[in-house]
Amino acid sequence: MRLSLVLVFCSLWVSCQQGPATSETETTDTAEVVQEAKPDTITDAPDRLPEDWIDIGVYIPNVEVDIRYATTDNFVGEVMYECARCLLREHAATALLAVQDELQKQGLHLKLFDCYRPLPVQRRLWEKVPDINYVARPDKGSMHNRGIAVDLTIVDDQGMELEMGTEYDYFGPEAHHTYTDLAEEVLENRQFLKAIMESHGFQGIRTEWWHYSLKESLPELSEYEWPCP
Ligand SMILES: [Zn+2]
C-alpha cells in the first residue's frame, strides 16, 4: 500500500517534471531554429530584399541600368553608392514595367540613371552640395528617397540613347522642359518620353527632362540601404 502510494507520487512528480521539461526543450529547439534561420536569410542577400522593394534590373530584365552614383561619372564626381542597383517601390516598378513593354514593341527600351536613393546617401550629397538648386534637403527628402522616382532616357535597338539635347544631370536651362531652342528631333524625343511616362502614371519636373516620379503614391522617406554582392 505504501509502496503503491509512493509509486503514484513518484509517477506524478516525474510527469510534472517531464511536462515542462519537454515543453521547454521544444521551445528552445524552436527558438534555435528561428535563430538559425536569420543568418541564412542574411547569407542569401543581396538577392533578397525587404518585401516592399523591387529590384528593377531583375523585375524588368530588358532595361539598361547605368547607375551614375555608383561611379564617379556624376555631378559630384564621387562614388556615392557602394554598388549599382535600381530599386523602386512596387507601384512604381509595375508602372515602369508597363512603360518598358510599350517601348519594346517599338524596338526601344529604357536606360536608368538613378532610382531609389537612400536617405543616408542624400545626407552625404547634401554635405557636398548644400544647394537646393541641385540637391533636395535630406530632412525634406525627394521622390528618389521615397522609391518612386527614376532618372532615365530611352535607347534604340542598337543601344544608342535618343538625342535629348543635354547629358543626364546637366544643370542649366537647356535641360528644362520649357526650353525650346533645340533641334526638332530633340523636342520630339523629349515629348515622346514625357507622353509615355505620363500615360503610365508618372509626372516630370520642369527643370530635368530625365526625372519622373509616380503621381499617385507617396511612401515614406526611407533609410534602407540595399546589400551589395
Ligand atoms: Zn531625379
Side-chain angles (χ1 to χ4, degrees):
M1 189 71 172
R2 275 185 191 168
L3 181 62
S4 63
L5 272 173
V6 168
L7 283 172
V8 167
F9 176 79
C10 286
S11 173
L12 283 170
W13 186 83
V14 168
S15 67
C16 286
Q17 290 299 305
Q18 282 177 341
T22 305
S23 157
E24 273 176 20
T25 305
E26 284 170 1
T27 305
T28 305
D29 286 345
T30 307
E32 280 172 1
V33 169
V34 170
Q35 282 172 359
E36 282 169 6
K38 286 182 182 173
D40 287 343
T41 305
I42 293 166
T43 306
D44 286 343
D47 296 332
R48 293 192 185 195
L49 298 174
E51 263 185 20
D52 49 345
W53 292 108
I54 305 289
D55 186 333
I56 296 301
V58 176
Y59 184 67
I60 315 178
N62 296 320
V63 295
E64 191 175 334
V65 178
D66 180 19
I67 304 298
R68 296 292 179 83
Y69 286 120
T71 73
T72 55
D73 184 14
N74 58 61
F75 84 102
V76 289
E78 291 182 33
V79 175
M80 303 302 292
Y81 296 158
E82 192 185 336
C83 62
R85 295 186 83 168
C86 172
L87 267 54
L88 288 177
R89 299 283 190 186
E90 189 175 356
H91 287 107
T94 307
L96 201 65
L97 176 63
V99 173
Q100 170 64 22
D101 282 348
E102 194 174 332
L103 285 175
Q104 213 162 316
K105 289 173 191 159
Q106 303 174 57
L108 302 167
H109 57 271
L110 292 170
K111 183 173 185 175
L112 308 173
F113 299 123
D114 197 25
C115 305
Y116 164 59
R117 185 185 311 144
L119 272 177
V121 175
Q122 191 71 30
R123 290 189 197 102
R124 293 203 291 276
L125 274 174
W126 181 253
E127 281 168 18
K128 291 181 186 304
V129 188
D131 183 339
I132 55 168
N133 292 311
Y134 303 103
V135 179
R137 293 175 59 97
D139 54 344
K140 194 173 167 220
S142 79
M143 295 302 172
H144 285 288
N145 304 134
R146 297 176 191 275
I148 55 168
V150 280
D151 294 338
L152 78 181
T153 192
I154 298 171
V155 294
D156 64 18
D157 57 359
Q158 306 297 311
M160 297 291 291
E161 294 180 22
L162 301 196
E163 186 53 64
M164 292 292 182
T166 76
E167 289 290 305
Y168 163 60
D169 260 1
Y170 175 88
F171 295 107
E174 294 88 346
H176 297 188
H177 282 289
T178 46
Y179 191 86
T180 55
D181 189 16
L182 296 162
E184 194 60 34
E185 181 195 1
V186 170
L187 295 173
E188 284 175 10
N189 289 341
R190 286 188 185 184
Q191 184 53 41
F192 177 61
L193 177 60
K194 184 168 183 278
I196 196 166
M197 293 301 285
E198 286 181 349
S199 72
H200 292 286
F202 290 93
Q203 63 184 348
I205 54 173
R206 186 182 61 84
T207 53
E208 300 176 357
W209 60 258
W210 55 82
H211 176 100
Y212 286 90
S213 64
L214 202 60
K215 204 172 175 182
E216 302 296 335
S217 175
L218 199 63
E220 295 287 303
L221 299 170
S222 173
E223 301 278 344
Y224 175 68
E225 293 187 89
W226 56 81
C228 292

